[in-house]
Amino acid sequence: MSELEAMAATDGETPVGPAALRLENVVRTYDEAAGKLEILKGTNLTIWPGEIVALVAPSGTGKSTLLHLAGLLERPDAGEVYIGGVAAGGLSDDARTRMRRVDIGFVYQFHHLLPEFTALENVMMPQLIRGLDKATAAVRAEQLLAYMRMKERASHRPSELSGGEQQRVAIARAVANVPRLLLADEPTGNLDPKTSHYVFEALRGLVRASGLAALVATHNMELAGRMDRRITLQDGQVVEM
Ligand code: ADP
Ligand code: MG
């Protein structure tokens, strides 16, 4: 077992615990001049630890909205979001922020790495914000970058990295605090097919090794085909494909 797997805090038993993510009758509407825009109409979704789920749906159907709700960046108009079995709706903003930092990792289409910091420092950052000491954060960041085959590039700044390398650093950063749930919004949307394939394989390897759950919005059917499950949005509902 690798150190990474050891850090995933499993004891070798099949985990019998709460879902990593559960949406229960989630409603999300936007008020537009032309009237109410109903994006999610009371939808349900459960993702278990260890699962990688593809969210495949046309632009404008609500993929990002669903990810923002799951990531506690927005609140639903009705319904409940559970992270690791804990209902987020009743929590204070502070408690939600803590949950977002500790339990959830995000990867976006554009990497959002801090330009003035190295790859290593970017992966250390969420750990330092969480309160870990520098030495511990550096060790973990090195391990994650090595896992993403980015060890040799650890001292480079984002501008000195290719798009695929930047996304691999962004993925390492997203899992730096060992979240329960990784949310990725078209993480390979800016990359060519070959690089997409490589970056996704690295992401999948990391999810498999650490036992976290991942929800990945993508337009790439080849990637979707390599995930455990595929869901789409139809008429404001999450539907299995
Ligand atoms: P996707 O990620 O699938 O492309 P989004 O979740 O970004 O879709 O958006 C779904 C729909 O909701 C779109 O029609 C979009 O214009 C609308 N929308 C998203 N965010 C807002 C907002 N903050 N205010 C109003 N409308 C929004
Ligand atoms: Mg989107």
Side-chain angles (χ1 to χ4, degrees):
M1 187 158 91
S2 73
E3 285 182 69
L4 187 66
E5 286 163 321
M7 277 188 286
T10 58
D11 55 4
E13 304 273 296
T14 305
V16 182
L21 170 68
R22 194 150 70 84
L23 305 186
E24 195 179 80
N25 300 320
V26 163
V27 175
R28 187 71 175 108
T29 50
Y30 293 116
D31 289 318
E32 296 278 88
K36 270 195 192 311
L37 196 58
E38 289 190 295
I39 305 300
L40 299 174
K41 303 180 184 175
T43 195
N44 299 289
L45 171 65
T46 303
I47 301 183
W48 297 99
E51 266 192 318
I52 309 181
V53 179
L55 172 56
V56 188
S59 279
T61 47
K63 298 184 298 298
S64 294
T65 299
L66 190 149
L67 290 171
H68 292 162
L69 291 165
L72 313 184
L73 295 165
E74 289 180 27
R75 288 176 185 269
D77 298 301
E80 187 59 273
V81 176
Y82 297 85
I83 305 290
V86 177
L91 299 178
S92 67
D93 285 345
D94 279 356
R96 285 168 67 92
T97 299
R98 212 171 312 127
M99 197 178 237
R100 205 181 300 125
R101 276 190 196 143
V102 173
D103 289 327
I104 304 170
F106 293 93
V107 181
Y108 299 95
Q109 182 169 359
F110 182 70
H111 58 78
H112 292 300
L113 297 171
L114 299 170
E116 64 274 35
F117 292 98
T118 66
L120 187 80
E121 289 164 343
N122 267 282
V123 181
M124 288 171 66
M125 203 65 69
Q127 305 176 74
L128 299 178
I129 291 170
R130 191 188 175 175
L132 282 185
D133 65 274
K134 256 185 150 169
T136 308
V139 167
R140 171 140 180 94
E142 276 165 18
Q143 287 172 341
L144 285 168
L145 287 173
Y147 196 89
M148 298 304 279
R149 307 234 179 110
M150 286 294 295
K151 196 172 177 173
E152 284 71 37
R153 321 278 302 157
S155 61
H156 291 253
R157 294 187 181 179
S159 62
E160 300 161 340
L161 301 173
S162 72
E165 289 172 340
Q166 290 168 346
Q167 282 304 67
R168 281 187 279 150
V169 177
I171 291 164
R173 180 184 56 177
V175 300
N177 282 333
V178 201
R180 288 173 182 279
L181 179 64
L182 180 66
L183 300 170
D185 201 348
E186 308 195 30
T188 65
N190 270 330
L191 306 176
D192 63 76
K194 196 165 158 238
T195 308
S196 295
H197 185 96
Y198 187 71
V199 168
F200 177 72
E201 279 310 308
L203 184 151
R204 190 168 70 162
L206 201 53
V207 170
R208 289 279 179 263
S210 53
L212 60 103
L215 178 58
V216 183
T218 183
H219 286 292
N220 185 325
M221 287 310 293
E222 193 255 334
L223 295 192
R226 288 191 284 140
M227 299 193 214
D228 299 322
R229 257 164 70 202
R230 282 144 294 281
I231 58 173
T232 189
L233 287 167
Q234 247 169 41
D235 206 14
Q237 300 291 331
V238 172
V239 179
E240 302 280 335
M241 290 175 86

